[in-house]
């Protein structure tokens, strides 16, 4: 929280519209202090905090599309990662 404005890495954020655990407005307010150029926000309007269980196909699809749009984040072809 103290250094959110120092982040220069791309970020993907998933927010659940019916989340009773995370305060979405507080998260967005915090991120207003950061450089949002590399930030992609996905709002799952009808989901609760457990997006990974309630909408796994959509979540994986959004993650996959985000990574495919950022070739510098993927390992080189023929490798399995760092």
């Amino acid at each position: 929280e103290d250094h959110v404005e120092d982040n220069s890495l791309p970020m993907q954020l998933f927010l659940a519209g019916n989340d009773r655990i995370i305060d979405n407005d507080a998260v967005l307010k915090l991120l207003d202090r950061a450089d949002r150029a590399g930030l992609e926000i996905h709002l799952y309007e009808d989901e609760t905090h457990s997006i990974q269980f309630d909408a796994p196909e959509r979540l994986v699809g959004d993650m996959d599309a985000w990574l495919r749009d950022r070739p510098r984040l993927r390992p080189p072809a023929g490798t399995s990662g760092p």
Side-chain angles (χ1 to χ4, degrees), residues 64 66-77 79 81:
D64 183 60
W66 188 79
L67 289 170
R68 288 180 189 276
D69 288 343
R70 286 155 186 80
R72 290 182 19 201
L73 297 179
R74 287 184 275 144
T79 67

Side-chain angles (χ1 to χ4, degrees), residues 2-21:
D2 293 336
H3 301 284
V4 69
E5 62 275 353
D6 296 334
N7 181 58
S8 61
L9 297 172
M11 294 184 290
Q12 188 177 34
L13 175 65
F14 301 94
L15 297 174
N18 294 319
D19 201 324
R20 294 182 182 181
I21 298 171

Side-chain angles (χ1 to χ4, degrees), residues 34-48:
D35 178 7
R36 293 178 97 172
L39 175 63
E40 185 172 306
I41 299 172
H42 296 271
L43 178 59
Y44 291 63
E45 290 279 350
D46 299 325
E47 302 302 335
T48 63

Side-chain angles (χ1 to χ4, degrees), residues 51-66:
I51 295 170
Q52 73 276 23
F53 300 118
D54 299 334
E57 293 85 8
R58 180 178 170 197
L59 179 66
V60 170
D62 288 340
M63 289 176 167
D64 183 60
W66 188 79

